[in-house]
Amino acid sequence: MSAPGVLSFTQQGWELVLAKVKRAVVYLDAACAESLHWGCGSTRLMEAVGDPVCYLREFEPNAIGGKTEQPKAVFVLSCLLKGRTVETLRNIICRSHFQYCVVVTALSHAVHLTANHVPAATAAELEGQQPVFEQLEEKMCEWMGSMNYTAEVLHVPLLLAPVAPYLALTPAFASVFPLLPQDLHLLNSARSDKRRLGNLGEVDATALTPELMLQMRCLVSGLSSLCEHLGVREECFAVGVLSRVIAADLANYAPAKNRRKTATGRASVVFVDRTLDLTGAVGHHGDNLVEKIISVLPQLPGHTNDVMVNMLELTALQIQEENQNVVAPGCLAQANDSAAKALWEALLNTKHKEAVMEVRRHLVEAASRENLPIKMSVGRVTPGQLTSYIQLFKNNLKALRNHCGILQLGLATVQTLKHPQTAKWDNFLAFERLLLQSIGESGLSVVLNQMLPMCKPSTQRTNDDYGPEDLLILLIYIYSVSGEFTVDKDLGEAEEKVKKALAQVFCEESELSPLLQKITGCDSATNLTFHKSKIAVDELFSSLWDIAGARSLMKEFKSVYIPGNHAHQASYKPLLKQIVEEIFNPEKQDPIDIEHMSSGLTDLLKTGFSRFMKVIMLSTRLLRPLNIPELLFATDRLHPDLGF
């Protein structure tokens, strides 16, 4: 096992799971499958099962049960063991012939006590006991048909999907998104008039809905387990409303307080609300190949952070649409291929040009090791050149097996470079730069008027024009980078024109994408009227106004926009970059917008940046183009081309 880190934390957890799965039918939910995908790979799970026919199944209500010759099952779940999850578990067991069932939950018993409304004082008395798990074990024996059968419920913190040794994501919390001003209406609906919240600055844990607070506690439980693995006593800091709630909950989480007493290391954890800066998440400033791959290739089904790589190039099948689903897709995660992992980490940490050259180098080295007839070339790397190297492996099964990971990343690079959306990248970048200049010189109304001619219905668009989702990306960019603005007549008129044009664009789409279906509430283009479209666009602009005002409560981090002057053009300065500079600025002693969350009297006596130890940064991040907010976890270093 490697030194303590996000990768070893995940791998250690999965080793506990793998020890239980021998000759079992294994059911996984999507979040745990994604953690396995990046942390160990499905191959390790199949090897651990050890059966010639390895049964891996999705945990869902209609999942196939176990047959007579399948007496053992293991369920690996990221969610709470209550409600629909328990119903699904019962239904699967009841229609099976299991005699031995193991349930692995990523959430601790302490969280299950909270979910079952057990008072904190009572929970403290139950330390070392697991009544919730024990009750479920009894129920599982009943469902299997005999109390003499075996049932186990255990907690393994499968929180992270480690994308790299210093970068991990939390797929179980893909739906978590920081609060916006419009959410105050929901929060106030359960409060009396005297206790109504005036703004987001007044929000604390008591103001959240029970469902959201429970979700935050689930996250805190996982983070506490991570800190235990790292052997650190963490100091919690926050930038933003929801981050403040999470940081305060971690600082005062009872199991964490007990753990810190024996921790030998120290670390600072900084939580950041990603809504404070969505500019970098949707912008095209980053000169990074991985960003482009994730942006243009289709999403891997069931995953939030990986893509499908078309592998037909390595088969004898013709590259035609009807053959797309014949061959299983490749992906970016290569957990068990050291050479591919090295290439992947290089792609994450280098600029686009260097990354493409690194792909070529790895392909050339792989071909040379297999004694394939490679023709060396120098100069600019082209998609055709990379394709010619990849095709050398086509009819060589041994070479394919030995270098499958490298070939998947190579094909991902080729398909990204040839993708029509990649050609638009420079167009996006040029327009974003123009927007930055216009915002400083003319204001938001002029920027919206510049965007108006780009809102074209499908019948008038060419391949170079912007589609509905492209326009949404630009609008998020505009409002996030602009920040707070003064409403005047010109802005009101400009907004109405863009709203009307965008509503018309939505209406005239021949087919609605999943995102447009969600925004409009219509599952078919034939059901979308202009009236429905206009209502959806009005709500959309309400969210854009909230995004623009997200930094209104900040004192120091009020802007991510740097005005131009006679020597420099206007530019965008990422919020996370500003935060890191603030943390490591020796001249700044007292942070203004970086709040320290106290866990006791000792913490209250601490002041200044001396509190910051080894910094761990957490953020809610919107990953383009999936429009899925992700909790992003980065340690040790932050790469400027990944939107930081």
Side-chain angles (χ1 to χ4, degrees):
M1 189 66 67
S2 58
V6 294
L7 182 58
S8 64
F9 172 66
T10 304
Q11 291 176 338
Q12 186 179 84
W14 277 105
E15 287 300 325
L16 296 174
V17 176
L18 297 180
K20 295 286 184 179
V21 300
K22 188 174 182 179
R23 297 193 177 279
V25 180
V26 182
Y27 296 84
L28 302 105
D29 65 17
C32 286
E34 195 160 358
S35 173
L36 173 71
H37 178 70
W38 286 99
C40 301
S42 58
T43 305
R44 284 282 292 111
L45 179 59
M46 290 187 283
E47 290 172 351
V49 171
D51 196 305
V53 182
C54 180
Y55 291 94
L56 302 183
R57 293 171 181 167
E58 181 182 2
F59 180 78
E60 49 96 18
N62 297 318
I64 299 173
K67 299 177 182 178
T68 307
E69 64 274 17
Q70 297 168 330
K72 182 180 178 182
V74 176
F75 300 85
V76 189
L77 308 175
S78 64
C79 45
L80 284 163
L81 302 178
K82 64 177 300 184
R84 289 184 180 179
T85 301
V86 173
E87 288 179 16
T88 301
L89 185 64
R90 180 190 63 203
N91 292 339
I92 293 173
I93 293 175
C94 286
R95 59 172 174 261
S96 303
H97 295 82
F98 299 137
Q99 299 175 22
Y100 181 10
C101 284
V102 180
V103 173
V104 178
T105 171
L107 302 176
S108 68
H109 187 263
V111 172
H112 282 84
L113 290 176
T114 302
N116 285 280
H117 312 292
V118 175
T122 305
E125 294 174 3
L126 292 172
E127 187 175 357
Q129 304 176 55
Q130 298 186 328
V132 177
F133 291 174
E134 290 166 4
Q135 288 174 14
L136 182 58
E137 288 172 351
E138 291 182 8
K139 286 291 183 183
M140 288 164 62
C141 287
E142 290 179 16
W143 300 334
M144 285 188 283
S146 172
M147 299 307 291
N148 293 322
Y149 290 160
T150 304
E152 292 181 57
V153 180
L154 62 148
H155 163 236
V156 178
L158 303 173
L159 171 72
L160 303 178
V163 176
Y166 52 86
L167 178 67
L169 302 165
T170 57
F173 298 92
S175 62
V176 173
F177 205 71
L179 299 170
L180 293 172
Q182 60 188 262
D183 296 316
L184 285 175
H185 175 72
L186 175 63
L187 298 180
N188 281 328
S189 64
R191 302 171 73 89
S192 64
D193 289 342
K194 291 183 178 180
R195 298 175 59 245
R196 292 178 69 85
L197 303 167
N199 59 61
L200 287 178
E202 299 173 15
V203 172
D204 58 16
T206 62
L208 300 185
T209 61
E211 296 78 13
L212 181 56
M213 192 58 231
L214 182 58
Q215 197 172 21
M216 298 302 97
R217 177 56 58 86
C218 292
L219 173 60
V220 162
S221 170
L223 294 175
S224 180
S225 296
L226 173 63
C227 291
E228 181 177 10
H229 174 78
L230 297 175
V232 297
R233 184 171 70 256
E234 73 278 11
E235 299 274 357
C236 299
F237 299 83
V239 182
V241 175
L242 192 62
S243 289
R244 186 170 66 240
V245 173
I246 298 172
D249 198 40
L250 177 57
N252 294 284
Y253 184 48
K257 283 187 173 183
N258 295 333
R259 165 182 54 76
R260 292 187 195 109
K261 294 175 182 177
T262 57
T264 56
R266 302 175 70 186
S268 297
V269 184
V270 184
F271 295 84
V272 183
D273 279 12
R274 193 48 163 142
T275 40
L276 296 173
D277 176 17
L278 291 177
T279 311
V282 299
H284 296 72
H285 313 93
D287 183 24
N288 184 267
L289 179 61
V290 172
E291 185 178 4
K292 295 175 184 178
I293 291 173
I294 293 174
S295 296
V296 304
L297 296 189
Q299 187 178 350
L300 190 65
H303 290 251
T304 56
N305 303 294
D306 207 343
V307 299
M308 288 195 294
V309 181
N310 190 326
M311 303 298 289
L312 286 178
E313 196 77 50
L314 290 170
T315 71
L317 293 171
Q318 293 184 354
I319 303 177
Q320 296 176 350
E321 189 171 344
E322 58 265 28
N323 291 330
Q324 296 296 316
N325 296 322
V326 175
V327 179
C331 60
L332 301 177
Q334 304 297 330
N336 298 306
D337 186 330
S338 57
K341 285 173 70 175
L343 174 57
W344 170 245
E345 290 175 30
L347 300 185
L348 281 171
N349 285 287
T350 55
K351 292 185 179 295
H352 176 98
K353 183 178 179 180
E354 289 80 3
V356 173
M357 292 177 68
E358 194 70 12
V359 171
R360 178 175 67 178
R361 184 178 71 82
H362 274 76
L363 287 172
V364 168
E365 289 180 356
S368 299
R369 281 196 291 271
E370 298 295 334
N371 296 317
L372 299 176
I374 192 164
K375 294 181 180 179
M376 295 297 298
S377 57
V378 294
R380 182 171 172 267
V381 183
T382 65
Q385 184 187 102
L386 295 178
T387 300
S388 68
Y389 295 156
I390 291 169
Q391 287 181 336
L392 293 172
F393 296 81
K394 188 170 183 176
N395 298 314
N396 190 324
L397 183 58
K398 177 175 176 290
L400 277 171
R401 284 176 172 169
N402 290 342
H403 306 285
C404 188
I406 295 290
L407 294 171
Q408 289 177 65
L409 295 176
L411 283 169
T413 301
V414 170
Q415 290 161 24
T416 298
L417 295 177
K418 295 169 69 174
H419 199 283
Q421 195 68 22
T422 302
K424 280 188 181 180
W425 193 275
D426 290 339
N427 295 339
F428 269 108
L429 181 58
F431 189 70
E432 287 164 4
R433 286 174 175 167
L434 177 63
L435 290 176
L436 290 174
Q437 306 310 315
S438 299
I439 289 171
E441 297 170 3
S442 309
L444 187 55
S445 60
V446 173
V447 171
L448 291 176
N449 284 324
Q450 288 175 335
M451 186 177 174
L452 192 58
M454 300 162 59
C455 301
K456 297 179 181 180
S458 58
T459 54
Q460 300 176 22
R461 287 199 303 266
T462 66
N463 291 336
D464 294 329
D465 289 322
Y466 296 94
E469 295 188 16
D470 297 331
L471 296 172
L472 294 178
I473 285 172
L474 288 174
L475 283 169
I476 293 171
Y477 183 94
I478 290 168
Y479 280 79
S480 180
V481 78
S482 296
E484 283 189 289
F485 49 79
T486 304
V487 181
D488 56 24
K489 181 181 177 182
D490 290 341
L491 178 57
E493 291 176 353
E495 272 196 345
E496 283 305 314
K497 290 177 183 177
V498 172
K499 285 182 184 180
K500 185 176 179 180
L502 194 60
Q504 194 64 44
V505 168
F506 288 179
C507 275
E508 296 191 23
E509 287 297 296
S510 58
E511 186 176 344
L512 298 180
S513 67
L515 178 61
L516 290 185
Q517 290 178 28
K518 187 173 183 179
I519 290 173
T520 61
C522 294
D523 57 2
S524 170
T526 56
N527 297 329
L528 182 59
T529 63
F530 180 80
H531 178 67
K532 290 180 180 178
S533 182
K534 185 62 167 59
I535 291 174
V537 170
D538 286 341
E539 292 176 354
L540 178 67
F541 269 76
S542 176
S543 296
L544 290 173
W545 276 55
D546 283 351
I547 289 169
R551 296 184 296 274
S552 61
L553 297 176
M554 298 287 103
K555 297 178 176 64
E556 193 167 12
F557 301 137
K558 269 195 169 298
S559 178
V560 295
Y561 174 74
I562 308 298
N565 53 39
H566 66 282
H568 301 284
Q569 289 187 331
S571 61
Y572 155 68
K573 186 173 183 180
L575 178 70
L576 293 185
K577 185 176 183 180
Q578 295 183 46
I579 292 171
V580 171
E581 288 179 354
E582 177 78 3
I583 289 172
F584 292 104
N585 186 345
E587 297 179 2
K588 292 288 188 71
Q589 291 301 311
D590 293 307
I592 299 174
D593 291 329
I594 306 176
E595 299 181 63
H596 177 243
M597 298 297 118
S598 170
S599 61
L601 180 60
T602 304
D603 286 338
L604 290 172
L605 299 176
K606 298 177 182 177
T607 59
F609 279 108
S610 59
R611 289 192 296 251
F612 286 102
M613 308 302 162
K614 180 178 180 181
V615 175
I616 299 175
M617 187 80 71
L618 291 104
S619 164
T620 53
R621 177 173 188 178
L622 186 68
L623 292 181
R624 179 177 40 76
L626 308 180
N627 294 300
I628 298 173
E630 288 295 326
L631 279 166
L632 179 145
F633 181 98
T635 63
D636 296 335
R637 46 183 167 161
L638 301 174
H639 193 276
D641 290 329
L642 290 178
F644 296 112

